[in-house]
Amino acid sequence: MAVDYTVIVVYLAGMLAMGWWGMRRARSKSEFLVAGRRLGPAMYSGTMAAIVLGGASTIGGVGLGYKYGLSGAWMVLTIGLGLLALSVFFSARIARLRVYTVSEMLDLRYGGRAGLISGVVMWAYTLMLAVTSTIAYATIFDVLFDLDRTVAIVLGGAIVVAYSTLGGMWSITLTDMVQFVVKTIGVLLLLLPIAVVKAGGFSEMTASLPTSYFDPLGIGGETIFTYVLIYTFGMLIGQDIWQRVFTARSDKVARLGGTVAGTYCLVYALAGAVIGTAAKVLYPELASADDAFATIVKDELPIGVRGLVLAAALAAVMSTSSGALIASATVANNDIWARIKRIKGETGGGEEQDEVKGNRVFILVMGLAVIVIATRLSSVVEGLTVAYDLLVGGLLVPILGGLLWKRGTASGALASVVVGGLAVVGLMVRYGILANEPVYYGLLASLLSYVLVSYATKPTDAAVLAVWRERLAGAGAEPTEPVAAEAAPAHS
């Protein structure tokens, strides 16, 4: 394993070095949070693909392939479809808004009244997403170094927190680009063909497994529908995804680069399902489907290649973890803490360097919180389900409604967030965290609340809508203060 260890150590050292290099570029709030909004098509598409394809898509995607066959690709397929929908239909408008958070977009659209509560919901989602990604380090480092679970989480989490805190989005962008390349080589170009060959080729796989393993809908229609509801729609509204859209150099880059990344996700989904199916032929009696990835890597790959593929898995986890971490810190600082200070009558200095320091402190604090929570939480699936159910049930309707329906009002958005979020939490208590009912009925309650309350209240102030339309058209300078400060005077 000496060669494999060397590959991993060099990779981890490279991540820290890029964090240090990124620190030298992150001199302003824009540079630190959204990489100066300067990414071209190649870097944008690579980093976008890196953040959406995390440990759940890699280790979990192979596990679903082990359990269900080719239809196990549906989870990652719906992620790719969501990214394609975001890129084709919404990314240009989102990029032109030139904000930093989803809640700032809601403030701009509705007049500065929905941001704090939506910020709390988005913060809970991004924090839990970072936690579930961090837990996945335990699986990878256990295979690599036979480390204790807590030590593995602390080690992996500390590296991500270090490079994210140093350089913000510039460091994360650079590391994500490397992670994208490592993931492409490790999973698509090495593990996929080797797994198929070791399993005897597709002819042996079809002969050894039930026909249900090759049924495109074998995982079940209800499961596919739930994946679409949670992951496809979740891609449209998550702060971690939007923050990457904000890094695009132009709306054309956001549309083109996102389309490339979404297409890549579809290929990655099929690859994971095929690898899992091959693992089922090789190891038909694994105790857990999620062990399929680690087992086939450990037992079937040659020295050196094994280290590179494990580095690819580590890259998948790190990219999602770092993206969720900076999103969580951005929301906590800009959408929650800054609003609380304004309510108390406090004002910030507004200097770019002070804002960079403030965001850097929040990343460090959020990162430490993520590591602590990850060491206490055992179920990745439950944590991820809570995160996406809250996101979709509480925020999908007011965000898409704001983009698509002129009659939507601030009161309707606020009611939608509160009713949808509370409905999801209550139904989780009633039916269980992993049940489908919370997101189904929570989303319905959110939609009804939004429409009914919007029709029952006065339309959004014309001046607020005028500012909104100007920003959608690409007018307006880079905001240096939270958008609520702009929108509130117009509303009043």
Side-chain angles (χ1 to χ4, degrees), residues 29 97-118 334-336 338-340 342-343 464 467-468 471 479-492:
K29 180 180 179 180
L97 289 175
R98 301 184 72 78
V99 294
Y100 291 105
T101 68
V102 174
S103 293
E104 287 182 16
M105 167 264 168
L106 292 173
D107 278 347
L108 184 63
R109 166 62 179 82
Y110 294 112
R113 291 174 53 193
L116 181 58
I117 293 178
S118 65
N334 292 269
D335 292 335
I336 300 176
R339 294 170 196 274
I340 292 174
R342 286 203 304 276
I343 291 172
V464 172
V467 173
W468 168 253
R471 292 288 281 273
T480 57
E481 296 293 333
V483 177
E486 299 175 8
H491 182 72
S492 60

Side-chain angles (χ1 to χ4, degrees), residues 87-428:
S87 302
V88 173
F89 298 112
F90 299 107
S91 63
R93 281 183 281 181
I94 293 170
R96 286 196 294 266
L97 289 175
R98 301 184 72 78
V99 294
Y100 291 105
T101 68
V102 174
S103 293
E104 287 182 16
M105 167 264 168
L106 292 173
D107 278 347
L108 184 63
R109 166 62 179 82
Y110 294 112
R113 291 174 53 193
L116 181 58
I117 293 178
S118 65
V120 171
V121 175
M122 187 63 77
W123 173 76
Y125 155 73
T126 53
L127 184 73
M128 195 57 66
L129 184 61
V131 167
T132 56
S133 301
T134 302
I135 292 173
Y137 294 129
T139 301
I140 299 170
F141 280 106
D142 178 57
V143 175
L144 282 171
F145 306 116
D146 194 26
L147 289 178
D148 174 76
R149 179 181 184 275
T150 299
V151 174
I153 289 173
V154 171
L155 176 60
I159 293 171
V160 169
V161 171
Y163 72 69
S164 301
T165 302
L166 286 172
M169 186 60 81
W170 264 122
S171 293
I172 293 171
T173 296
L174 295 169
T175 53
D176 276 0
M177 199 63 201
V178 174
Q179 288 158 356
F180 170 75
V181 173
V182 171
K183 196 157 38 180
T184 300
I185 296 173
V187 175
L188 297 185
L189 301 184
L190 294 176
L191 182 58
L192 175 61
I194 290 173
V196 172
V197 170
K198 292 283 186 176
F202 285 103
S203 58
E204 180 63 27
M205 290 164 63
T206 53
S208 303
L209 297 172
T211 55
S212 62
Y213 267 71
F214 303 93
D215 179 359
L217 304 178
I219 199 169
E222 184 178 355
T223 299
I224 295 172
F225 178 73
T226 302
Y227 284 159
V228 170
L229 206 58
I230 294 177
Y231 297 114
T232 301
F233 286 119
M235 288 295 107
L236 298 180
I237 58 174
Q239 170 68 25
D240 52 324
I241 309 302
W242 277 39
Q243 201 156 342
R244 293 310 172 95
V245 175
F246 300 151
T247 66
R249 186 170 60 207
S250 66
D251 53 1
K252 291 181 180 179
V253 169
R255 187 185 295 113
L256 174 61
T259 301
V260 171
T263 305
Y264 179 90
C265 291
L266 303 183
V267 175
Y268 201 86
L270 294 173
V274 171
I275 293 168
T277 304
K280 183 67 175 179
V281 174
L282 294 167
Y283 313 100
E285 303 296 334
L286 288 179
S288 170
D290 285 340
D291 292 337
F293 180 89
T295 303
I296 197 169
V297 169
K298 192 174 183 179
D299 293 349
E300 303 297 336
L301 298 186
I303 294 172
V305 173
R306 179 171 49 199
L308 183 58
V309 173
L310 286 172
L314 196 57
V317 175
M318 282 186 157
S319 56
T320 300
S321 180
S322 59
L325 176 59
I326 193 172
S328 176
T330 303
V331 171
N333 189 16
N334 292 269
D335 292 335
I336 300 176
W337 179 242
R339 294 170 196 274
I340 292 174
K341 289 203 303 182
R342 286 203 304 276
I343 291 172
K344 292 180 176 180
E346 300 176 19
T347 58
E351 295 182 9
E352 288 289 319
Q353 198 61 33
D354 289 341
E355 293 194 51
V356 170
K357 290 179 181 178
N359 282 291
R360 188 171 278 137
V361 168
F362 267 86
I363 290 180
L364 179 60
V365 172
M366 290 298 106
L368 295 176
V370 163
I371 292 172
V372 171
I373 296 170
T375 59
R376 300 288 188 270
L377 188 67
S378 59
S379 175
V380 175
V381 175
E382 289 187 0
L384 202 60
T385 301
V386 170
Y388 273 98
D389 280 5
L390 278 174
L391 177 70
V392 173
L395 292 178
L396 177 68
V397 170
I399 292 172
L400 293 189
L403 289 169
L404 301 174
W405 191 40
K406 186 172 68 174
R407 186 60 180 81
T409 67
S411 297
L414 195 59
S416 179
V417 173
V418 174
V419 172
L422 291 177
V424 166
V425 173
L427 290 166
M428 281 183 176

